[in-house]
């Protein structure tokens, strides 16, 4: 076993997580290698500090403060609820509001579907073709159009 | 004799049925453990008290949805760790304020010398832990301070066993360097 592998085993060794075979190989290397042995001792020293260090206790009155805070938050929640007008009707109002919202969305969605449907597009195209707005008295390519331009040029001159 | 797990489950069940005294008993039973965890996760006693208190207030709301097939202590530890991490983010730049918090209660060791050494070691440890990244700190504190197994730590932090082993090993390595004074 090399130093790199041994050093990786220091932590699980301290936690007694090595298999018997791994432990045997680990300890054999530790016995022969000063550097790994030193690292193991330093890791053990840190572990020892943890085991000897004092455990803190919660401050006096901690539970009472927690219970007071939860009671305060409960009271706050109740008083907020009581401020809302027409409280008993609220669930019913919410249901009606949702139904109206669904209806409006349905109407808007249906309108959009109709506007973009192929049949509607075709009708809109036909209406445009027969619209007098696009009718030109003297189209540019016609004899009348050419005559009109000559007359305009003559008037300007 | 009922064990700690059964007792906690009974208290939670009574609380879910509306028994507030059961919740108070649950807090009293777990206050030292959670406060101790917060004490090692955070900067000082004041932060630890705030975080521990927040943990139980979250538990008050969250226990109503607690599933009896889960472990109450694992669940409570998870809430505490997350609360500590949120607390650090929230109060990173804020100076301490609010009511004065008495210092930690003295160690039960009756000898003054023992008490002094225990306190000094605790302070050395807390200072060293503060230099660790949060992910490594939470893993090593749960292992060394709270004595949780690798499986329990994996459940609390919601990570794999391999990640637990890796974080604990890295934390120990960094602490070894910090405590032995090497750069």
């Amino acid at each position: 076993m090399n130093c790199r592998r041994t050093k990786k085993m220091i932590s699980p060794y301290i936690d007694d997580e090595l298999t018997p075979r791994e432990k045997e190989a680990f300890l054999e290397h530790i016995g022969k290698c000063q550097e790994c042995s030193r690292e193991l001792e330093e890791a053990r020293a840190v572990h020892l500090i943890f085991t000897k260090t004092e455990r803190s206790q919660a401050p006096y009155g901690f539970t009472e403060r927690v219970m007071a805070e939860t009671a305060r938050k409960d009271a706050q929640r109740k008083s907020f609820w009581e401020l809302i007008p027409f409280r008993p009707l609220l669930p019913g109002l919410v249901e009606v509001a949702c139904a109206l919202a669904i209806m409006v969305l349905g109407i808007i969605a249906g309108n959009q579907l109709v506007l973009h449907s192929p049949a509607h597009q075709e009708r809109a195209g036909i209406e445009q073709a027969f619209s007098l707005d696009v009718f030109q008295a003297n189209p540019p390519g016609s004899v009348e159009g050419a005559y009109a331009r000559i007359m305009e040029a003559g008037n300007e001159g | 004799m009922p064990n700690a797990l059964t007792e906690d489950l009974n208290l939670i069940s009574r609380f879910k049925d509306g028994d507030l005294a059961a919740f108070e008993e649950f807090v009293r039973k777990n206050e030292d453990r959670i406060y101790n965890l917060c004490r090692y996760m955070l900067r000082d006693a004041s932060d630890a008290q705030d975080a521990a208190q927040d943990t139980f207030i979250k538990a008050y709301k969250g226990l109503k949805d607690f599933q009896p097939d889960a472990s109450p202590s694992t669940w409570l530890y998870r809430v505490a760790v997350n609360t500590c991490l949120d607390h650090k983010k929230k109060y990173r730049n804020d100076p301490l304020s609010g009511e004065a918090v008495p210092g930690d209660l003295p160690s039960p060791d009756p000898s003054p010398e023992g008490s002094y050494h225990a306190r000094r070691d605790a302070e050395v440890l807390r200072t060293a832990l503060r230099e660790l990244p949060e992910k490594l700190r939470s893993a090593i504190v749960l292992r060394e301070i709270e004595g949780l197994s690798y499986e329990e730590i994996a459940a609390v932090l919601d990570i794999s066993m391999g990640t637990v082993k890796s974080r604990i090993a890295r934390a120990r390595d960094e602490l070894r360097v910090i405590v032995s004074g090497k750069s």
Side-chain angles (χ1 to χ4, degrees), chain A residues 8 10-12 14-17 38-40 42-43 46-47 49-67 69-71 73-74 77, chain B residues 20 23-24 27-28 31-33 35-36 39-40 49 52-53 56-57 60 104-105 107 118-119 121-122 125-126 140 143-146 150 168-169 172 175-176 179 182:
Chain A
K8 280 189 173 179
I10 289 177
S11 181
I14 288 174
D15 289 332
D16 201 21
E17 289 279 333
R38 182 181 50 79
E39 277 199 30
L40 173 62
E42 286 174 355
V46 172
H47 175 66
I49 296 177
F50 274 111
T51 60
K52 285 174 152 187
T53 198
E54 66 173 8
R55 287 185 67 84
S56 299
Q57 292 181 14
Y60 180 74
F62 177 85
T63 295
E64 284 73 19
R65 277 194 286 275
V66 168
M67 298 310 291
E69 184 60 20
T70 54
K73 284 188 184 296
D74 275 348
R77 217 173 290 127
Chain B
L20 209 53
F23 179 73
E24 184 172 349
V27 175
R28 214 175 286 281
E31 62 178 7
D32 286 342
R33 197 150 54 92
Y35 176 77
N36 191 54
R39 190 67 184 89
Y40 280 95
Q49 176 170 271
Q53 189 169 301
F56 284 107
I57 290 167
Y60 181 77
D104 294 322
L105 289 178
S107 156
R119 281 178 174 253
D121 288 345
L125 205 51
R126 286 189 194 118
I140 195 70
R143 174 69 196 162
E144 292 280 22
I145 303 287
E146 296 302 316
Y150 284 9
I168 288 174
R172 281 194 171 125
L175 284 172
R176 181 181 61 79
V179 168
K182 294 185 171 119

Side-chain angles (χ1 to χ4, degrees), chain B residues 84-105:
Chain B
C84 287
L85 296 177
D86 289 342
H87 192 88
K88 282 177 65 66
K89 284 178 203 162
K90 201 170 160 189
Y91 296 106
R92 202 185 295 274
N93 296 318
D94 289 352
L96 290 174
S97 61
E99 65 175 279
V101 176
D104 294 322
L105 289 178

